[in-house]
Amino acid sequence: MESKIKEICTRYHTDRCFLVPILQDVQQALNYLPRAALEQVGAELGVPLSRVYEVATFYRAFSLQPRGRTQMSLCTGTACHVRGAPLVREHLERRLGIHAGETTADLAYTFETVNCLGACALGPILTVNGEYHGHITMAKADKILRKLEKGVETDEQD
């Protein structure tokens, strides 16, 4: 981990102005931001740990907890809500055995809800590792999960 973080910081010439992109790259490499990584980034950049934590906790995109290999986000904005997002949320929570905002114990899935994904006409919307799936239903969610369990790529037509 130490050599990977050093490599990431070096790519940005250890310039503290690049703290956010450095943290993004570290999170991408480690799938979250463990304390040891934050400490090393701070040391590499000469930035106090308190400042590194401030940035890491300010942006919702950063996670201080391990995240699943598959990340799912369900829109619960008004348009998605009235089209059945609450039912899909409850269904996914039952299927995954976790509540929204949690990660499965085996780190296979992180499931969260978000206020808006900006595609209201396609609601409810579910993103799977950044890929949008529109008009999501419980049956479509099950189909996506079956494909993920088999290791098959999902596609937008689900």
Side-chain angles (χ1 to χ4, degrees):
M1 175 175 80
E2 289 180 26
S3 62
K4 184 66 176 169
I5 293 170
K6 185 165 188 61
E7 173 192 325
I8 290 168
C9 290
T10 301
R11 260 191 310 215
Y12 292 94
H13 308 290
T14 59
D15 186 337
R16 65 178 52 197
C17 294
F18 293 106
L19 178 58
V20 171
I22 288 169
L23 291 176
Q24 288 172 323
D25 288 357
V26 170
Q27 179 165 287
Q28 184 175 10
L30 304 177
N31 214 17
Y32 77 113
L33 297 172
R35 180 182 175 94
L38 297 178
E39 289 171 349
Q40 185 179 350
V41 167
E44 294 282 341
L45 301 180
V47 174
L49 181 58
S50 60
R51 176 66 178 143
V52 177
Y53 262 104
E54 180 182 18
V55 172
T57 57
F58 178 80
Y59 294 102
R60 191 162 187 240
F62 293 130
S63 177
L64 301 180
Q65 300 298 319
R67 297 182 54 82
R69 292 177 298 281
T70 299
Q71 298 183 26
M72 305 173 83
S73 298
L74 178 68
C75 180
T76 57
T78 304
C80 292
H81 179 86
V82 299
R83 292 183 179 134
L87 294 173
V88 174
R89 185 197 83 239
E90 290 170 6
H91 181 72
L92 285 169
E93 288 175 336
R94 277 193 307 277
R95 283 286 315 270
L96 298 171
I98 58 174
H99 294 287
E102 296 179 344
T103 299
T104 58
D106 62 359
L107 298 179
Y109 299 96
T110 294
F111 173 58
E112 62 188 2
T113 57
V114 295
N115 292 331
C116 186
L117 288 169
C120 300
L122 301 175
I125 297 280
L126 177 71
T127 64
V128 180
N129 294 331
E131 186 176 276
Y132 281 62
H133 298 271
H135 306 290
I136 200 75
T137 62
M138 289 182 281
K140 286 182 179 181
D142 282 342
K143 185 177 179 184
I144 290 167
L145 288 174
R146 281 192 301 275
K147 284 184 174 184
L148 289 167
E149 289 163 0
K150 291 179 183 175
V152 178
E153 296 241 353
T154 60
D155 55 33
E156 250 183 272
Q157 288 75 31
D158 285 331

